[in-house]
């Protein structure tokens, strides 16, 4: 069965510093991968997705992620964070391109001034 | 374009009371999802609709939860009776179709507190 692991529950980082949020998944078949962001009291918004092709995916707000099949990872990165990036970030996997998303437990990114 | 609309945004009830949540998906989206998000957790799928048909309700606790999507547009999720453990955020999402990585658009959620 597929599962998603986000090892870091909280990541504090200073403004303008780079950040990496880690995501690992387990699946025996091909997967689609997603990163969503959730601002306080709001729903989830898609940052980026990997379906196929280039393993480096660029998303909104300057975020990017790299799909690594051998390490079953899909880590999210941003070279320089802003205060406004403070939010909860969720990694999700869809096995075999189905509708069913399995979400990780989330990583709370806190950007410090 | 309006996003997914949910109401109410917040609801506080006493245990054993009934409660209902309403969702209006993005216009034209035929697939609608209800998710449960517990504190500190990611969303978990409760039920998925294709038009007016519930095609996956395997995770819906049917003894107390029910849902409907009349006319294949708006949807209502009901809990009767509510229990303390039902306190959570209930998210609604919609998409054009059910497969191939189509993006699911989420509403702001309804935060339920059961006292």
């Amino acid at each position: 069965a597929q599962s998603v692991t986000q090892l870091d529950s909280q990541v504090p980082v200073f403004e303008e510093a780079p950040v990496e949020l880690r995501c690992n998944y387990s699946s025996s078949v091909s997967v689609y991968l997603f990163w969503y962001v959730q601002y306080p009291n709001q729903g989830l918004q898609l940052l980026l997705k990997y379906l196929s092709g280039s393993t480096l995916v660029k998303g909104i707000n300057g975020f990017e992620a790299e799909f690594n099949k051998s390490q079953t990872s899909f880590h999210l990165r941003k070279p320089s964070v802003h205060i406004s990036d403070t939010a909860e970030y969720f990694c999700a996997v869809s096995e075999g391109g189905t509708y069913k998303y399995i979400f990780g437990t989330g990583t709370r990114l806190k950007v410090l001034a | 374009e309006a996003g997914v609309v949910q109401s109410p945004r917040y609801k506080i009830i006493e245990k054993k009371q009934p409660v209902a949540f309403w969702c209006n998906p993005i216009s034209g989206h035929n697939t609608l999802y209800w998710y449960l998000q517990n504190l500190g957790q990611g969303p978990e799928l409760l039920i998925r609709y294709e038009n007016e048909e519930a095609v996956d309700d395997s995770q819906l606790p049917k003894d107390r939860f029910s849902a409907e999507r009349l006319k294949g547009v708006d949807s209502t999720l009901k809990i009767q009776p509510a229990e303390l453990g039902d306190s959570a955020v209930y998210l609604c999402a919609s998409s054009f179709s059910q497969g191939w990585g189509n993006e699911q658009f989420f509403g702001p959620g309804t935060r339920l507190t059961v006292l």
Side-chain angles (χ1 to χ4, degrees), chain A residues 2 7-8 16 52 56 58 61 78 81 100 102 108:
Chain A
Q2 56 184 323
L7 288 172
D8 306 305
E16 297 184 7
S52 65
L56 183 62
K58 294 189 182 299
N61 301 341
K78 187 170 183 177
V81 296
K100 206 156 193 172
I102 303 299
R108 186 176 298 265

Side-chain angles (χ1 to χ4, degrees), chain A residues 32 38 41 43 97 99 101, chain B residues 9 48 56 98 100 102 104 107:
Chain A
Y32 294 165
Q38 186 175 34
N41 298 317
Y99 66 87
Y101 289 11
Chain B
R9 291 294 313 278
R48 176 176 73 92
D56 184 357
Q98 54 96 1
W100 298 108
N102 279 357
Q104 295 183 23

